């Protein structure tokens, strides 16, 4: 900064004012300082700045299995929202969820001096591990269920399950079969709850769910079972990747979609509009989840708000060609 001041012919304090967008700097002086910064390649020392201000302008994010579309899209939404709010992001992606792994991730991020932490908590084990959050560090859980002492931002998974099931019932199907996600995932649990509630409210049979692991392979295996059942006319699949596998199994077994069986997925991945047939699905607004999680965290950081918040993002039904009226 001293070098920039000498090059621009101004004081150290003037350079500081320019860097901090202080209004009391003449336009000509500001331009001269910015030209000196460009010429010298000056970059702020964020570590030194953090020592002075006690704020790093960095947020920590802990996530799990970012190879899956949902968690990956959630982390992307968080990162974009953080950058828009003027924060950098440090991400720790865990390969398995347990309290020891979560504790290590939290220790690493607090050791970096992050101002706050967002935990993407799609599994029950992750939500339980939130008990290890360091005292005094602002935090938000995404999809954290009933996270106790932590603010939560989530998509209304149960509402999504209801939307999918009610859409199929409105088309005249007697009941709706379900291919669920893994039982330890909060999102899978919510979608099952919404599916079951819609069927029970309509006084319809509630078939036993088939359980998958979010992969197209597990959807394919479930689809082979469903293809052999003549009474199946409608299927709600807990994510689009498993729905892709279901569609493949139906095609191989000569089960036409939607003429014989209607299929609804969940997530609205970019490829779902190009499945064969294009997939009716439930859209999650991951951008809104990211924005709200950062908004909640920034309120804690900048406004000193310590009250717990719970923000729920509504899902939306996207109707395409994989659903039709029951014959």
């Amino acid at each position: 900064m001293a070098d920039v001041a000498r090059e621009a012919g101004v004081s150290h304090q003037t350079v500081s004012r320019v860097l901090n967008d202080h209004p009391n700097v003449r336009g000509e002086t500001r331009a001269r300082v910015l030209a000196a910064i460009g010429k010298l390649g000056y970059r702020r020392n964020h570590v030194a700045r953090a020592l002075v201000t006690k704020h790093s302008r960095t947020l920590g994010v802990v996530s799990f299995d970012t190879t899956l579309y949902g968690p990956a899209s959630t982390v992307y939404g968080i990162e974009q929202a953080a950058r828009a709010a003027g924060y950098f992001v440090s991400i720790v992606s865990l390969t398995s969820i347990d309290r020891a792994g979560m504790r290590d991730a939290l220790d690493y991020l607090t050791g970096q001096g992050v101002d706050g932490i967002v935990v993407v908590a799609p599994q029950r084990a992750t939500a339980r591990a939130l008990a290890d959050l360091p005292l005094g560090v602002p935090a938000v859980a995404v999809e954290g269920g009933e996270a106790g002492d932590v603010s939560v931002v989530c998509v209304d998974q149960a509402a999504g399950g209801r939307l999918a099931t009610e859409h199929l019932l409105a088309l005249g199907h007697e009941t709706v079969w379900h291919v669920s996600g893994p039982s330890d995932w909060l999102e899978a649990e919510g979608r099952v709850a919404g599916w079951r509630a819609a069927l029970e409210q309509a006084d319809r049979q509630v078939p036993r769910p088939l359980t998958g692991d979010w992969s197209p392979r597990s959807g394919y295996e479930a689809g082979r079972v469903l293809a052999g059942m003549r009474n199946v006319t409608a299927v709600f699949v807990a994510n689009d990747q498993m729905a892709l596998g279901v569609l493949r199994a139906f095609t191989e077994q000569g089960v036409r979609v939607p003429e014989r069986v209607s299929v609804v997925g969940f997530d609205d991945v970019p490829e779902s509009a190009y499945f064969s047939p294009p997939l009716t699905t439930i859209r999650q607004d991951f951008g809104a989840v990211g924005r709200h999680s950062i908004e909640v965290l920034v309120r804690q950081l900048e406004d000193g708000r310590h009250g717990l918040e719970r923000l729920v993002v509504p899902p939306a039904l996207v109707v395409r060609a994989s659903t039709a009226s029951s014959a």
Side-chain angles (χ1 to χ4, degrees):
M1 193 181 291
D3 292 339
V4 171
R6 279 193 297 271
E7 177 70 25
V10 298
S11 68
H12 178 280
Q13 289 83 357
T14 298
V15 176
S16 179
R17 291 191 190 100
V18 171
L19 290 170
N20 289 290
D21 293 322
H22 198 283
N24 294 335
V25 180
R26 290 190 305 171
E28 179 186 349
T29 302
R30 186 183 302 275
R32 199 160 68 245
V33 170
L34 292 175
I37 287 172
K39 178 179 178 180
L40 298 176
Y42 171 77
R43 296 292 181 271
R44 276 187 171 184
N45 186 324
H46 291 283
V47 174
R49 178 176 172 80
L51 288 172
V52 173
T53 64
K54 308 301 182 185
H55 294 290
S56 65
R57 303 297 295 182
T58 300
L59 303 177
V61 177
V62 181
S63 185
F64 167 74
D65 201 349
T66 49
T67 61
L68 293 171
Y69 178 76
S73 299
T74 301
V75 170
Y76 179 76
I78 291 168
E79 185 176 14
Q80 294 302 303
R83 288 172 63 87
Y87 287 85
F88 296 98
V89 171
S90 179
I91 300 173
V92 177
S93 182
L94 300 177
T95 56
S96 62
I97 296 296
D98 53 47
R99 294 191 75 162
M102 178 66 77
R103 194 178 300 113
D104 288 345
L106 296 174
D107 287 346
Y108 172 76
L109 291 172
T110 53
Q112 284 192 326
V114 297
D115 293 335
I117 295 174
V118 180
V119 180
V120 181
Q123 293 179 294
R124 286 214 163 274
T126 323
R128 288 193 295 267
L130 291 173
D132 292 325
L133 280 166
L135 291 175
V137 177
V140 175
V142 175
E143 300 296 346
E146 300 298 330
D149 295 332
V150 182
S151 292
V152 172
V153 177
C154 61
V155 173
D156 193 335
Q157 305 294 337
R162 273 185 172 274
L163 281 173
T165 307
E166 289 170 352
H167 169 68
L168 291 165
L169 293 178
L171 291 172
H173 297 279
E174 284 299 314
T175 191
V176 178
W177 291 73
H178 183 44
V179 180
S180 75
S183 59
D184 60 332
W185 281 66
L186 295 164
E187 295 163 318
E189 183 179 285
R191 294 168 201 178
V192 168
W195 161 77
R196 187 182 302 279
L199 290 179
E200 290 176 347
Q201 185 173 350
D203 197 24
R204 303 299 176 87
Q205 172 200 357
V206 181
R208 184 172 181 174
L210 288 74
T211 303
D213 61 7
W214 301 127
S215 70
R217 177 191 54 76
S218 67
Y220 175 77
E221 292 172 355
R224 293 186 64 182
V225 173
L226 293 167
M229 303 167 66
R230 297 296 305 176
N231 61 333
V232 174
T233 67
V235 182
F236 163 43
V237 189
N239 79 333
D240 291 349
Q241 293 298 319
M242 291 194 299
L244 177 62
V246 168
L247 292 174
R248 171 65 181 270
F250 282 176
T251 298
E252 290 183 355
Q253 298 297 317
V255 176
R256 299 184 67 188
V257 177
E259 290 82 0
R260 183 183 146 193
V261 180
S262 288
V263 177
V264 177
F266 206 108
D267 281 341
D268 193 28
V269 301
E271 298 84 3
S272 62
Y274 302 95
F275 287 3
S276 183
L279 184 66
T280 296
T281 187
I282 303 297
R283 175 179 296 156
Q284 301 194 76
D285 190 342
F286 295 108
V289 171
R291 286 193 305 275
H292 289 318
S293 63
I294 295 303
E295 287 166 2
V296 170
L297 194 55
V298 169
R299 278 197 289 272
Q300 295 180 46
L301 290 168
E302 298 183 354
D303 299 344
R305 298 188 190 179
H306 301 296
L308 297 182
E309 297 185 55
R310 183 177 182 84
L311 295 182
V312 180
V313 177
L317 173 69
V318 181
V319 179
R320 298 193 181 101
S322 66
T323 53
S325 298
S326 177

